[in-house]
Amino acid sequence: MDDRIELTPGNPEDEARLRAIGSPLRLRVLRLCAFESRTNKELAGLLGVNPGTMLHHVRTLVQTGFLAAEPARSGAQGAREVPYRATGLSWRMPLPDRSRVLVEVFLQQIEGVDPGDLDTTWLGLKLNDEHRAEFQERLHALLVEFKDRGADADGEAYSVFTAFHPDLNPPGQGEDATARRTVETDA
């Protein structure tokens, strides 16, 4: 995962970036601006937020490098509009204490998705350190490969969410317990 940005503790720029992507609303803005430019007004309408509030969030994302302004254009009534596009910086940012924000955003994103269109997988694995690192590296490499291909001109937008975490389920009566029971009953 060598394309990740290294954060320096106490660095004001890094801290500002972490605060910027610590907001579920801002993460949703980035998702909405990933494949097409959107104006502050469009974003406010799509997310049901006051345009003044949205402007604050957009400016924060621009100042921290997550959004970039594109050339101004004329809106429907001739007003000057500035569209914004996500820069891709969020992909490279670590989220050490903010991963739960991603879960919250994921849940918001799938709220209106037809259950038939939601393909989920939940898998439990038991891995040693070497195999855990291999699994994470290969999964990350696959995601990077598809991200680096760029958007298909004729494609539809999809979202992928992965979460890799220790399984906190209590130890069960697995193989070790079965072997102990066998030995105990044979005695």
Side-chain angles (χ1 to χ4, degrees):
M1 300 186 198
D2 53 5
D3 62 338
R4 296 281 185 183
I5 293 173
E6 287 290 325
L7 299 177
T8 305
N11 179 322
E13 183 179 344
D14 289 346
E15 290 177 9
R17 284 181 171 167
L18 285 172
R19 280 192 305 277
I21 60 172
S23 160
L25 180 66
R26 290 183 192 143
L27 289 174
R28 292 187 69 198
V29 166
L30 294 178
R31 173 65 65 211
L32 287 169
C33 295
F35 300 112
E36 63 184 273
S37 302
R38 301 197 191 251
T39 66
N40 182 67
K41 182 179 177 182
E42 291 169 329
L43 291 166
L46 288 167
L47 295 171
V49 176
N50 174 295
T53 300
M54 182 55 64
L55 184 58
H56 164 75
H57 291 291
V58 166
R59 284 181 176 162
T60 298
L61 290 167
V62 169
Q63 290 168 351
T64 53
F66 293 107
L67 279 182
E70 294 193 339
R73 62 185 186 204
S74 292
Q77 323 243 307
R80 181 180 175 271
E81 296 180 336
V82 178
Y84 298 91
R85 179 70 82 104
T87 64
L89 177 63
S90 62
W91 170 254
R92 299 175 44 229
M93 286 292 297
L95 292 172
D97 298 325
R98 291 170 176 82
S99 292
R100 290 186 183 272
V101 171
L102 292 178
V103 173
E104 184 177 331
V105 171
F106 170 73
L107 293 173
Q108 290 173 8
Q109 290 285 112
I110 65 169
E111 203 169 85
V113 173
D114 182 305
D117 291 334
L118 186 61
D119 182 11
T120 58
T121 303
W122 191 23
L123 172 67
L125 299 170
K126 192 170 184 179
L127 304 169
N128 62 30
D129 287 345
E130 178 186 347
H131 290 149
R132 178 195 48 79
E134 176 190 359
F135 180 83
Q136 286 180 287
E137 288 169 14
R138 288 175 61 188
L139 182 59
H140 183 73
L142 179 64
L143 294 171
V144 168
E145 176 188 332
F146 274 82
K147 178 189 137 326
D148 288 349
R149 286 183 184 182
D152 293 335
D154 61 344
E156 293 188 36
Y158 290 93
S159 180
V160 175
F161 178 86
T162 63
F164 193 83
H165 61 88
D167 191 340
L168 299 179
N169 289 328
Q173 304 299 319
E175 293 176 20
D176 293 341
T178 304
R180 276 195 310 274
R181 273 198 311 272
T182 304
V183 170
E184 290 169 1
T185 55
D186 290 344

